[in-house]
Amino acid sequence: MIQEKELYRKIRFACHSESAEAFHLQSRIHRLRWFDRSDIWVKRDDELSFGVSGTKLRKHASIIPSLQQKGIEEVVVIGGAHSNNVLSAAQTLTENSIKMTPFLLGPPPQRTGNAKLLSLFFNEDEIHWIPRAEWSTCHNLANRYIEEKRSQGINIMLLPEGGHHESALPGALSLMVDILRNEKESGVVFDHLFIDAGTGMVAQSLLAGAAALERKTTFHIVVLADSFTDFKSGLAQVIQQTEKFLHLTITTLPDHHLYYPSVAKSFGSTNSTIFREIKRTAREDGILTDPVYSSKLFLTARKTILEQTLQGNILLIHSGGALALSGFMDHPIFAS
Ligand SMILES: *Cc1c(COP(=O)(O)O)cnc(C)c1O
């Protein structure tokens, strides 16, 4: 077990660098008025940054200092054309004068949303587009590029999809610590916590952090991109990384349940239920959500709270990503 203060100290150290401004990793919580209840809350990680989606900012907060320590000059970033991590990395790497070379699935038929915003950062000829038929060889192609750059004496590394990398762990762990701060400030202790998972890095770190603190909360994880099996193997990996980072052994995990989204199950897919939920969340909660992550989290959380008649204090993590919404504004549901 680790004490909260000690965990906080280790995270702060790993998210610190001589040559960079630290990222701001504190976000507020507030109540939602769902189901005439006053014990359902949302954590506004979406407010951590205008352009970098919230949980990505946490991961990059430790990725960047780790790159700087290793003297990395260039990073190959792999992802989809609409990836929040790719768009986030374009911002955090450029801010810190590290060259980014994107290896992206595509090109997509039309540039909208994140894919269009990306053209603010890169000329077309700077993007390595990998067609879907060759996507499985993307890592080989990226590694070949990296080898060539290394032979020219360039200090370069690869950032995997979604930033699921050991160097992202300390930043990802900051979410657990920040929830403890929210609890102390509000006097509310959360019994249930809902979070979405793409690569699962942030949710896995949350579980590992809770385990290290021996914190008893029930975690509800909406698995959006991968399978439960992938999530569990990622979890085993993150637990090992956490044990190494904190010099402790994790024997038991807190209660956690995995869900697939209640609608539009395949990653990135949308439908009118999703768009209606985005509109509902805007009108009733006053919150912008995105079609890929947060709206699916909100929908699945509402359904789960009702079906399982969950009692006690509930917290939803709004992980951000609203910029992606800009690509969907022509949907007829938004016009009516
Ligand atoms: C990337 C992302 C996630 C998922 O984070 P993982 O660590 O990959 O699971 C969730 N929500 C938003 C808005 C994101 O951009």
Side-chain angles (χ1 to χ4, degrees):
M1 186 181 169
I2 189 167
Q3 297 301 321
E4 181 189 337
K5 266 202 178 134
E6 181 62 8
L7 178 58
Y8 180 74
R9 197 188 61 76
K10 283 183 192 273
I11 292 169
R12 260 193 59 152
F13 186 76
C15 294
H16 173 83
S17 146
E18 295 278 307
S19 43
E21 305 285 344
F23 292 93
H24 184 73
L25 299 177
Q26 296 191 341
S27 72
R28 67 187 177 120
I29 57 168
H30 64 79
R31 285 190 176 86
L32 294 166
R33 313 275 162 201
W34 290 5
F35 316 124
D36 289 323
R37 286 174 64 161
S38 56
D39 50 6
I40 304 177
W41 299 66
V42 61
K43 179 164 176 60
R44 299 298 300 272
D45 259 27
D46 60 313
E47 290 180 342
L48 285 178
S49 162
F50 167 72
V52 178
S53 76
T55 50
K56 296 298 180 297
L57 195 85
R58 294 192 184 279
K59 291 195 258 195
H60 292 211
S62 56
I63 291 174
I64 298 279
S66 142
L67 295 174
Q68 286 172 327
Q69 243 165 34
K70 297 188 186 105
I72 300 287
E73 302 154 89
E74 180 174 348
V75 177
V76 171
V77 180
I78 292 183
H82 296 275
S83 154
N84 286 339
N85 188 56
V86 170
L87 187 60
S88 297
Q91 296 163 71
T92 59
L93 292 172
T94 305
E95 177 194 327
N96 288 286
S97 310
I98 299 169
K99 179 179 158 67
M100 165 166 157
T101 301
F103 273 65
L104 307 182
L105 174 62
Q110 311 141 347
R111 278 343 128 74
T112 56
N114 282 359
K116 194 160 192 172
L117 288 166
L118 210 58
S119 66
L120 297 175
F121 296 87
F122 301 100
N123 290 330
E124 193 56 22
D125 59 4
E126 292 172 306
I127 301 176
H128 297 246
W129 290 111
I130 318 289
R132 188 169 291 280
E134 289 166 42
W135 185 239
S136 61
T137 66
C138 182
H139 270 88
N140 298 342
L141 297 171
N143 280 324
R144 203 177 307 153
Y145 173 87
I146 286 172
E147 285 316 314
E148 197 187 313
K149 287 283 172 161
R150 282 202 181 125
S151 73
Q152 297 163 14
I154 292 171
N155 195 354
I156 180 169
M157 72 158 260
L158 180 92
L159 189 63
E161 266 191 284
H164 200 293
H165 189 263
E166 189 161 8
S167 64
L169 178 78
L173 282 169
S174 72
L175 178 58
M176 186 69 236
V177 174
D178 201 38
I179 292 170
L180 298 178
R181 180 188 62 84
N182 292 138
E183 287 188 333
K184 257 178 266 152
E185 288 181 11
S186 63
V188 175
V189 176
F190 292 105
D191 306 292
H192 297 277
L193 222 143
F194 283 85
I195 185 164
D196 47 17
T199 65
M201 177 88 201
V202 173
Q204 290 151 2
S205 309
L206 191 63
L207 285 174
L213 292 160
E214 296 187 4
R215 163 72 198 237
K216 304 269 178 290
T217 300
T218 304
F219 291 86
H220 305 265
I221 298 158
V222 183
V223 177
L224 294 168
D226 291 330
S227 65
F228 288 177
T229 314
D230 294 328
F231 183 87
K232 283 174 197 160
S233 65
L235 178 59
Q237 213 182 338
V238 166
I239 287 172
Q240 271 184 9
Q241 293 168 357
T242 305
E243 291 180 326
K244 191 173 132 206
F245 174 54
L246 301 178
H247 308 291
L248 48 72
T249 314
I250 292 174
T251 46
T252 45
L253 284 174
D255 274 349
H256 58 284
H257 307 278
L258 304 183
Y259 307 83
Y260 290 120
S262 50
V263 291
K265 289 190 174 47
S266 76
F267 184 58
S269 71
T270 57
N271 60 27
S272 8
T273 310
I274 303 281
F275 292 116
R276 268 193 294 273
E277 173 68 4
I278 290 174
K279 214 161 161 177
R280 186 208 62 73
T281 314
R283 294 185 182 196
E284 292 174 23
D285 302 326
I287 298 176
L288 284 173
T289 49
D290 77 294
V292 181
Y293 293 101
S294 43
S295 59
K296 290 187 184 178
L297 175 80
F298 277 44
L299 264 172
T300 311
R302 286 168 74 83
K303 184 165 177 266
T304 306
I305 292 167
L306 288 180
E307 280 180 3
Q308 301 183 14
T309 53
L310 293 186
Q311 300 300 321
N313 295 312
I314 300 172
L315 181 66
L316 276 70
I317 314 291
H318 186 342
S319 48
L323 273 189
L325 186 57
S326 64
F328 296 86
M329 290 316 297
D330 290 335
H331 194 276
I333 298 264
F334 294 142
S336 61

